[in-house]
Amino acid sequence: MRRFALSFTAVAAVLAVAACSEPAQQSGGASGAGSTGMTQARPPAPGVMSEADRLAQMQREFQTSVGDRVFFATDSIQLSGDAKATLDRQAAFLARYPQVMLRIEGHADERGTREYNLALGDRRAQSAKEYLMARGVSGGRLSTTTYGKERPEAIGSGEQAWAQNRRAISVIAQ
């Protein structure tokens, strides 16, 4: 009798584990005991990217192959030859991906008042936007914002740090 009870317990345990491994139990489907009736999000199928992953990959391509930032001289909104070349690559990228929208963020170095640098960052972002529009990018796909000196790329008080902080950065804003 004792052997029968032990065997019965072992078989019951195996059946309980097997019942929990049914797909309906794992996905929260309607069948099976303990179902909540709510469906759980399933990961994308192999080879299928989520929207967030697709945008992250596109931003990486944009940063590495195209270039996401242009730099400015002190107190200037004038685009250098290098800046125009980067913006030309951005315009070509946007022509290749017509659904992509960009947010252009204007920045300044630490010198000057907060108000002055916010205005300068705004003019830098506008300068980049106007150049892209002149290259055929619809203004409806471009937005601008300014951070002034509030988000420095490089910390420090010297020309090397200041030069890195005088910039406009284009970010994919889908």
Side-chain angles (χ1 to χ4, degrees), residues 66-73 77-91 127-128 131-132 166 168:
V66 176
D68 67 339
R69 58 197 63 206
V70 296
F71 297 95
F72 295 88
I77 64 167
Q78 299 300 312
L79 296 167
S80 68
D82 287 344
K84 290 178 181 178
T86 298
L87 292 170
D88 287 340
R89 289 191 305 274
Q90 289 183 11
S127 179
Y131 187 88
L132 288 170
R166 297 187 303 258

Side-chain angles (χ1 to χ4, degrees), residues 51-136:
E51 183 67 12
D53 289 341
R54 188 183 67 77
L55 287 174
Q57 180 181 10
M58 193 176 288
Q59 184 68 37
R60 281 190 301 274
E61 175 191 346
F62 187 72
Q63 289 171 332
T64 58
S65 302
V66 176
D68 67 339
R69 58 197 63 206
V70 296
F71 297 95
F72 295 88
T74 303
D75 296 323
S76 176
I77 64 167
Q78 299 300 312
L79 296 167
S80 68
D82 287 344
K84 290 178 181 178
T86 298
L87 292 170
D88 287 340
R89 289 191 305 274
Q90 289 183 11
F93 179 90
L94 292 169
R96 217 170 44 241
Y97 298 103
Q99 77 284 7
V100 171
M101 300 179 72
L102 286 186
R103 180 181 66 250
I104 305 168
E105 303 172 343
H107 299 268
D109 63 38
E110 67 180 357
R111 298 172 292 177
T113 65
R114 181 176 188 275
E115 293 76 20
Y116 175 80
N117 284 321
L118 284 171
L120 181 58
D122 183 58
R123 291 193 314 272
R124 287 176 172 161
Q126 289 296 330
S127 179
K129 178 181 178 180
E130 290 169 8
Y131 187 88
L132 288 170
M133 288 172 57
R135 294 298 179 264

